Amino acid sequence: MNTSESIRARRSIRKYQEGYVIPKEHVEMILEAAMMAPSACNRRPWDFVVVENREILAQIMEIHPHTQMLRTASLAIVVCGRPDLQDGICEGFWPQDCGAAIQNLLLQAQELGYGTCWCGCYPVMKRAEALQKLLDVSGIPLATVAVGKAAEAPEAKGHYDASRVKWLR
Amino acid sequence: MNTSESIRARRSIRKYQEGYVIPKEHVEMILEAAMMAPSACNRRPWDFVVVENREILAQIMEIHPHTQMLRTASLAIVVCGRPDLQDGICEGFWPQDCGAAIQNLLLQAQELGYGTCWCGCYPVMKRAEALQKLLDVSGIPLATVAVGKAAEAPEAKGHYDASRVKWLR
């Protein structure tokens, strides 16, 4: 699939084929794609937690209410921001940098044949802090991304909207 | 180019072929790609200003010091966040949502044969407010993205870093 098709074919998937195991090399390729995103001053303000453990996935579902699709997903990738890596002129860019990394993650997963669902965490601090404790990480959990083999094919929600564009020629 | 290659081939381009004109249908395809990104509650908290006017581009370079590559770029796309579209449970997700939209924009531009450079604006409020005034928009300028025909071929800065990944099996 070329990039244009990929961008337009991506969907948020909430039903997956249960029990599907994603090979480690695919997970690494997905993480590599995320880490190829640009970031302010190239500080790469992100860490990743790959959760395949079903018990921990169940705990994430309790903490983070919009992640119920994790029941059938193969795994979750929790993307954590690292504001501590962005000081001086780079301060505060980490949420948008992580957003770019996540978009690469979604597109790469799709090209490998997987569905994904991006579940927002930060800036809901109660949710972020509970996940941080559960996963025992120092970064700030920004999003939980479900990954698995899709078992549904929803319609696209994105579209071009000319009213959102101003032209200065 | 397929998606995996595209993600890995993208670079921040700071020198462009002067005077190159990008057809309007390509700009619209790039904007459509941006608008295909997912967003919290599908609120699509983004607006876009396409700047081809050389005088306005020069003023952007004065306000936003790291945008000097606009001198040779064909145009700039200023991505503006719309926090007003995200209330309730969706509040505050707009910078990461815009980050995802920008990543799509960069990848789509690349597939069409253009180079890009993402220049961060928000959360540097002084910069964002000056751009907001210059462009006469209500959204918050989050980034200025230069787009043009590349006249340089820098090395990749992204790479897989295993130390940034924690596995919970």
Side-chain angles (χ1 to χ4, degrees):
Chain A
M1 201 176 274
N2 73 27
T3 313
S4 305
E5 293 164 339
S6 215
I7 286 169
R8 289 162 180 79
R10 186 210 51 79
R11 300 286 184 276
S12 294
I13 299 295
R14 293 183 173 82
K15 280 184 193 165
Y16 300 93
Q17 294 174 27
E18 272 191 73
Y20 192 93
V21 177
I22 301 179
K24 193 186 178 196
E25 54 269 33
H26 280 182
V27 181
E28 286 176 338
M29 213 174 146
I30 289 168
L31 295 170
E32 181 182 69
M35 295 188 208
M36 294 303 292
S39 61
C41 313
N42 195 31
R43 294 290 174 84
R44 305 160 58 82
W46 42 57
D47 285 338
F48 303 87
V49 186
V50 181
V51 186
E52 292 172 295
N53 183 302
R54 305 288 348 161
E55 206 168 299
I56 301 174
L57 288 169
Q59 286 174 280
I60 294 175
M61 285 187 267
E62 274 179 40
I63 290 170
H64 196 161
H66 305 289
T67 60
Q68 299 313 307
M69 81 293 290
L70 290 178
R71 201 185 56 74
T72 56
S74 301
L75 53 87
I77 298 176
V78 182
V79 181
C80 301
R82 291 283 306 273
D84 57 304
L85 297 178
Q86 288 189 322
D87 53 353
I89 60 162
C90 308
E91 198 177 334
F93 287 98
W94 63 275
Q96 49 191 289
D97 292 344
C98 287
I102 295 170
Q103 188 61 22
N104 270 3
L105 187 167
L106 305 183
L107 293 173
Q108 177 68 78
Q110 185 191 261
E111 177 157 271
L112 291 169
Y114 304 111
T116 53
C117 192
W118 175 345
C119 308
C121 184
Y122 173 89
V124 183
M125 285 313 292
K126 194 182 154 190
R127 210 181 279 174
E129 283 163 9
L131 269 192
Q132 195 177 35
K133 196 174 163 190
L134 170 69
L135 304 173
D136 189 25
V137 289
S138 62
I140 300 175
L142 179 110
T144 297
V145 183
V147 188
K149 270 282 174 192
E152 63 169 4
E155 290 297 306
K157 288 188 171 175
H159 58 275
Y160 181 69
D161 179 353
S163 75
R164 297 301 192 84
V165 184
K166 178 171 183 170
W167 300 79
L168 297 173
R169 293 209 172 84
Chain B
M1 200 178 273
N2 72 29
T3 313
S4 305
E5 293 164 337
S6 215
I7 287 170
R8 288 161 181 79
R10 187 210 52 79
R11 300 286 184 275
S12 294
I13 299 296
R14 293 183 173 83
K15 281 183 193 165
Y16 300 93
Q17 294 174 26
E18 273 192 72
Y20 192 94
V21 178
I22 300 180
K24 194 185 178 198
E25 55 268 33
H26 280 183
V27 180
E28 286 176 337
M29 213 175 148
I30 288 168
L31 295 170
E32 181 182 70
M35 296 188 210
M36 294 302 293
S39 61
C41 312
N42 195 31
R43 295 289 174 85
R44 306 161 58 83
W46 42 57
D47 284 339
F48 303 87
V49 186
V50 181
V51 187
E52 291 172 295
N53 183 301
R54 305 289 346 162
E55 206 168 300
I56 301 174
L57 288 169
Q59 286 174 279
I60 295 176
M61 285 188 267
E62 272 178 42
I63 289 169
H64 196 161
H66 305 291
T67 61
Q68 299 313 309
M69 80 293 290
L70 290 178
R71 200 185 58 75
T72 55
S74 302
L75 53 86
I77 298 176
V78 181
V79 180
C80 301
R82 292 284 306 274
D84 56 304
L85 297 178
Q86 290 189 321
D87 54 352
I89 61 161
C90 308
E91 198 177 334
F93 286 98
W94 62 276
Q96 50 192 288
D97 291 344
C98 287
I102 294 170
Q103 188 61 21
N104 270 3
L105 187 168
L106 306 183
L107 294 173
Q108 178 67 79
Q110 184 191 258
E111 176 157 90
L112 291 169
Y114 305 110
T116 53
C117 193
W118 175 346
C119 308
C121 184
Y122 173 89
V124 183
M125 285 313 293
K126 194 182 153 189
R127 210 181 279 173
E129 283 162 9
L131 269 191
Q132 196 177 35
K133 197 175 163 191
L134 170 69
L135 304 173
D136 188 25
V137 290
S138 62
I140 301 175
L142 179 109
T144 297
V145 183
V147 188
K149 270 281 175 193
E152 64 169 4
E155 290 295 308
K157 287 186 169 176
H159 58 274
Y160 181 68
D161 180 351
S163 75
R164 297 300 192 85
V165 185
K166 178 171 183 170
W167 299 79
L168 297 173
R169 292 207 173 85

